[in-house]
Amino acid sequence: MTMTVVSHQWLLEHLEDPEVVIVDCRFSLADPQQGKQLYQINHIKTAYYLDLNEDLSSPVEKHGGRHPLPNPKKLADKLANMGVNFQKTLVVAYDDSRLAFAARLWWLLRYLGHEQVAVLDGGFSEWQKAGYPVTDVIPESKKGDFVPQIQAQMMVDREVVINRKDLPNVVLVDSRESDRYQGIREQIDKIAGHISGAVNYPWQEVTDSTGYLLSSSEQHRRWSKLDNAEEVIVYCGSGVTACVNLLSLELANIHTGKLYAGSWSDWISYLDSR
């Protein structure tokens, strides 16, 4: 089954489905331990946990941004230990942050060549609000078979951005809030502003305030100016929330999106000599 989004009702009906693996991706940039702690208190029944810093990223280095892509084999091994079988098991990712972290896992799985991945519309709070089952029981490890097939064309680095961002059929998209894009406010990175030539599509516009995705037609309307672009390079602060925009492009039936994985934090690492 190839699905991009699943509803709470659908997931409720597939909680015990051996072909479905649920992954809790809750995380807080302000408090990196919070997501794991919340998971241990309660989570959707049968869900495993993957941590943004420990599982969905590599250690930070001088360049590469604040959340470098994880080692593919390490992530593949973790997925296999959850019982994920490559290109067979449907992985359903959820968080409580309007898909900020669930979309990172969604994109990473597709980057590893595993297209059987979806996000949970509405996230954890709405699941709880509906009275659906939660638990503090940590599921046991299982044995899956996951051998990644890297889709290198889905990702670009700084050199590609430099060489392609000003071409007439390429659009560079900054996914951060407009005040960070404009350089009015910057509380995370050492330098404010955006990459020259980038247009701003804040990632929060992909969902409503409660975390439900806008309809496919609304997603398409959102990207209507980019319909004719041959390539859409998307970035954010560190390559995480940009994935929400890449999900939005997919829902809009636009398949030209690529992730600048290092994003703004990588870009400025070459400018910042402090």
Side-chain angles (χ1 to χ4, degrees):
M1 58 183 105
T2 301
M3 307 168 75
T4 305
V5 183
V6 300
S7 67
H8 290 128
Q9 185 62 40
W10 186 95
L11 189 59
L12 180 67
E13 294 168 1
H14 290 82
L15 282 180
E16 308 295 340
D17 188 335
E19 295 299 313
V20 175
V21 169
I22 306 168
V23 182
D24 186 318
C25 299
R26 283 178 290 171
F27 191 81
S28 168
L29 293 172
D31 180 3
Q33 297 303 312
Q34 186 184 88
K36 189 180 297 182
Q37 291 166 352
L38 290 172
Y39 169 78
Q40 290 168 346
I41 294 169
N42 64 10
H43 50 265
I44 294 177
K45 187 180 176 185
T46 75
Y48 293 88
Y49 182 74
L50 287 176
D51 181 273
L52 174 65
N53 285 348
E54 296 176 13
D55 304 311
L56 305 182
S57 305
S58 293
V60 176
E61 299 179 1
K62 181 178 180 182
H63 301 300
R66 283 182 281 108
H67 293 103
L69 296 186
N71 177 290
K73 184 174 188 311
K74 286 184 180 178
L75 180 55
D77 289 346
K78 290 169 184 174
L79 292 163
N81 287 333
M82 296 175 177
V84 179
N85 292 304
F86 185 75
Q87 282 290 53
K88 295 179 181 177
T89 307
L90 177 67
V91 177
V92 177
Y94 74 85
D95 62 24
D96 218 0
S97 304
R98 298 175 66 176
L99 301 177
F101 309 110
R104 167 80 165 201
L105 178 58
W106 171 84
W107 184 89
L108 279 170
L109 277 163
R110 289 164 57 91
Y111 176 67
L112 296 183
H114 184 85
E115 297 174 358
Q116 306 302 317
V117 57
V119 296
L120 177 64
D121 201 12
F124 183 72
S125 289
E126 293 296 303
W127 174 273
Q128 258 192 318
K129 196 181 293 183
Y132 292 154
V134 296
T135 183
D136 61 358
V137 176
I138 310 296
E140 295 181 1
S141 293
K142 296 179 181 177
K143 192 58 188 166
D145 181 20
F146 197 101
V147 180
Q149 297 177 8
I150 303 296
Q151 306 298 302
Q153 76 283 356
M154 291 176 56
M155 190 267 289
V156 301
D157 60 16
R158 177 175 175 270
E159 288 304 312
V160 173
V161 175
I162 290 170
N163 292 329
R164 297 190 61 78
K165 70 183 183 71
D166 297 319
L167 296 178
N169 294 319
V170 175
V171 179
L172 181 63
V173 171
D174 187 314
S175 304
R176 297 170 301 164
E177 302 94 318
S178 61
D179 55 352
R180 288 186 69 198
Y181 166 78
Q182 294 174 54
I184 297 170
R185 175 182 67 87
E186 184 52 70
Q187 297 171 301
I188 302 175
D189 292 306
K190 291 180 180 179
I191 298 176
H194 61 266
I195 299 173
S196 172
V199 293
N200 189 209
Y201 283 76
W203 68 273
Q204 295 93 337
E205 296 175 354
V206 177
T207 57
D208 65 21
S209 60
T210 56
Y212 286 101
L213 285 153
L214 304 184
S215 69
S216 294
S217 60
E218 289 173 299
Q219 303 287 358
H220 192 273
R221 195 176 308 121
R222 183 170 179 257
W223 297 107
S224 58
K225 292 181 181 177
L226 278 59
D227 266 354
N228 297 321
E230 291 179 7
E231 188 174 56
V232 182
I233 299 174
V234 186
Y235 76 92
C236 56
S238 66
V240 177
T241 54
C243 296
V244 183
N245 263 338
L246 289 165
L247 173 69
S248 174
L249 284 165
E250 187 70 21
L251 294 172
N253 206 31
I254 299 171
H255 308 296
T256 52
K258 298 182 179 183
L259 176 66
Y260 171 24
S263 287
W264 179 247
S265 53
D266 172 64
W267 185 267
I268 63 170
S269 70
Y270 294 87
L271 310 176
D272 183 19
S273 58
R274 286 175 285 173

